[in-house]
Amino acid sequence: MMAFPLPEATPESLGLDSSKLDRACALVEKDIAQGFHPGAQLAVARHGKLALHRSFGCMERDRQQAVEGQTLFLLYSNTKVITAAAVWLLVEDGLLCFGDAIADHIPGFEAHGKGDITVIDLLSHQAGFPKAVIPIECWDDAARLREAACGIVPEWPRGTRTAYHPNAAYGVARVLVEALTGKDFRDVVRARLIEPLGLELELFMSLPPSEWHRTAPMHAPDAAGGLAVAPVEASATFRQAGFAAGGAHGTARAMAMFYQMLARGGSLGATRLFAPRTMDFVTRDFTGDRVDEQIGIAMHRGLGPFSRGTTLETRGLGTIGHSRTFGHSGVGSSQCWADPVSGVSFAFLSNARQGNDWHNRRMDRISNLIHAAILH
């Protein structure tokens, strides 16, 4: 196996309090001991170096195979930021403007009154179709996916409300990438985002069968109050489809490295993926203090990630985090974020989907410890 591309350094050399990082790891170990998830990974990076990468527990509840550094986890909706980044590339390529109507680039999308929905609406969860679902059978078929996207019927006029779009909006984003590049979305993500960072062994939009042996299956609560492997997420169809709203797999250190690039204005080492102005724009707050109707709090949506903002409540980014901290969660199981002010990036991945209320409290405690570890 190749060495991980992000060099390691001690927390202290990067201005981080190792005792706070140890405390965050102790919380993860406690949750595993109490049966909330069989295994996990946690990673922290700063100043272009990896300060912490630790693995915990087992890959599967009934199989005592330890989680290791290269164990892959399902990212769920952390995938959305990767998908959004593929759209950002189109803007930097001059193929798209954020204010463009989607229908200008996907003929037929204007059906059912969707002609005025913009890229900004789509990526900031203001497009007006939060309940729309594109069936899993469509995700590995470009023609069926495009047909399903065009057939979406809005629930309210774009931009008038904000509500998390868990499924269909990022399917539309995938169709947009394919329409403008003429290439498979999964190939674009790999060639333009993953390979330039050297992460092709630790980050996958589509998970090939050759990597399933090192993939921790996602678990969910069962009727007996325990955990069981989630069958859909473990299926070949799901793993290979390139589900742009929530199907990517990766390691915590890969996600901490990806967010290091975002935190550093779009570049890492000799590799630049985005201009600083692009990063400033896509991480700005497009929804302000408006309450997200599905989440129940103000989410401060950017074009892919959401930010901490200045409201009291937050969702996994840490209450004491800087207002510009941005990132995303994976339903009941994971959280990734970057603080562009301090340069710290963070990723936590687990292999069990718990209730979001519990998960958000868990992530607030862990994220607060990471923020508290920043000494200067």
Side-chain angles (χ1 to χ4, degrees), residues 48-49 56 78 95 98 109 111 126 136 140 161 293 343 348 376:
K49 295 182 179 179
F56 310 86
N78 286 293
L95 299 174
F98 285 119
F109 187 74
Q126 301 180 87
I136 189 171
D140 202 27
R161 295 154 64 179
E293 295 180 20
F348 168 81
H376 52 76

Side-chain angles (χ1 to χ4, degrees), residues 351-368:
N351 55 355
R353 185 179 69 237
Q354 293 289 346
N356 272 327
D357 287 344
W358 179 86
H359 175 61
N360 293 333
R361 289 192 300 272
R362 177 255 299 271
M363 290 317 310
D364 193 50
R365 290 193 299 272
I366 294 175
S367 291
N368 279 337

Side-chain angles (χ1 to χ4, degrees), residues 54 59 65 150 177 188 213 215 224 289 294 306 329 350 356:
R54 199 165 297 177
M59 291 175 59
Q65 182 177 354
C150 292
V177 171
V188 173
H213 69 281
T215 301
D289 292 348
Q294 178 168 324
F306 56 86
S329 57
S350 76
N356 272 327

Side-chain angles (χ1 to χ4, degrees), residues 146-163:
R146 184 169 183 147
E147 181 181 3
C150 292
I152 292 169
V153 179
E155 298 147 47
W156 32 264
R158 65 100 180 174
T160 59
R161 295 154 64 179
T162 177

